[in-house]
Amino acid sequence: MTENTQRRSIGAKRNPASAEAILDAAENLLAERGLRGFTIEEVARRARAGKPTIYKWWSSKAALLLDVYQRQKTIAFQDTGNLEDDIVAFITAITIHWRDTPAGAVFRSVIAEAQSDEKAGQALRRFSDERLSETSFLILRGLERGEIKNGIFPKHAARWISSYLWFRLLTGDLDVSQQNLRRDVSVLLLGLRKDEK
């Protein structure tokens, strides 16, 4: 394939090779030029794909950035045997990832774009719903251990964890100490833990 040859689209269904080429191009462009230099036009040129193809598969620049963000994210859910420690470990891993990699700036920019662009807002809501389902696993595990009172919906509790993380990201306060983080988590747990008998 020559530099000027466009990859062939297979319609609305994603061609895996083309999708990977677009994500590779987007990831490399982001690393080289940052958010200010990130354009769909340049991603299309580098991936040898048409802009209509990119917009067919990703409804907005924000949607593509979210896929790049998720591709780079390698956060594992630790099982410490204790709900408080699980939540502290999860929040610590996310804040370090946001602080020490370009991921924090990428995610913050998507949130900002979602305030004025409906397609970006839709992409962010879809992404958030998927992540909430994953984060709910922490709460579900606490329920299975008998640490959480009955009647707690894991997804609703997970929304509080996400809200806390977003607050830290949007205020640029990602250097929270373990002591203060544990104090914050203990407030959340006041509403989740079973009453001691």
Side-chain angles (χ1 to χ4, degrees):
M1 184 184 297
T2 66
E3 182 66 27
N4 295 323
T5 304
Q6 282 195 340
R7 295 175 185 274
R8 292 185 60 189
S9 170
I10 57 172
K13 184 179 176 183
R14 287 189 188 184
N15 177 324
S18 292
E20 279 299 304
I22 291 165
L23 286 168
D24 285 344
E27 191 170 357
N28 291 334
L29 178 60
L30 194 60
E32 290 171 23
R33 298 190 186 174
L35 285 165
R36 289 184 183 276
F38 188 93
T39 65
I40 294 296
E41 290 79 3
E42 181 60 15
V43 171
R45 188 190 70 76
R46 291 183 178 212
R48 297 188 297 278
K51 274 179 63 178
T53 298
I54 294 176
Y55 280 118
K56 192 181 296 180
W57 297 343
W58 289 276
S59 60
S60 63
K61 183 172 82 169
L64 179 56
L65 282 169
L66 283 170
D67 269 7
V68 172
Y69 168 82
Q70 186 60 24
R71 197 184 201 209
Q72 296 175 335
K73 192 173 164 189
T74 55
I75 306 298
F77 291 100
Q78 292 187 38
D79 185 354
T80 67
N82 173 279
L83 179 61
E84 180 176 336
D85 292 340
D86 286 353
I87 294 174
V88 167
F90 175 68
I91 291 174
T92 299
I94 294 282
T95 53
I96 289 173
H97 179 65
W98 281 345
R99 186 192 67 203
D100 296 348
T101 74
V106 170
F107 198 45
R108 196 164 43 238
S109 77
V110 170
I111 293 172
E113 188 174 344
Q115 306 315 298
S116 57
D117 183 279
E118 181 55 31
K119 287 185 178 178
Q122 290 171 358
L124 181 60
R125 285 190 291 276
R126 279 194 304 271
F127 177 85
S128 297
D129 282 344
E130 291 168 7
R131 299 295 77 74
L132 275 177
S133 296
E134 290 181 2
T135 309
S136 298
F137 177 71
L138 290 171
I139 309 303
L140 184 59
R141 199 161 57 192
L143 274 168
E144 291 169 349
R145 291 189 194 122
E147 296 175 273
I148 297 177
K149 65 181 76 171
N150 293 328
I152 295 291
F153 292 96
K155 195 169 183 178
H156 293 185
R159 190 171 285 121
W160 285 104
I161 297 172
S162 295
S163 299
Y164 177 81
L165 282 163
W166 284 32
F167 171 78
R168 289 282 180 190
L169 176 67
L170 293 175
T171 58
D173 189 9
L174 297 174
D175 287 318
V176 58
S177 69
Q178 285 292 298
Q179 182 183 41
N180 283 334
L181 175 54
R182 284 194 178 274
R183 286 173 177 164
D184 292 342
V185 170
S186 71
V187 174
L188 168 65
L189 293 177
L190 285 174
L192 296 179
R193 277 197 176 119
K194 282 187 173 179
D195 296 329
E196 296 291 337
K197 292 184 179 179

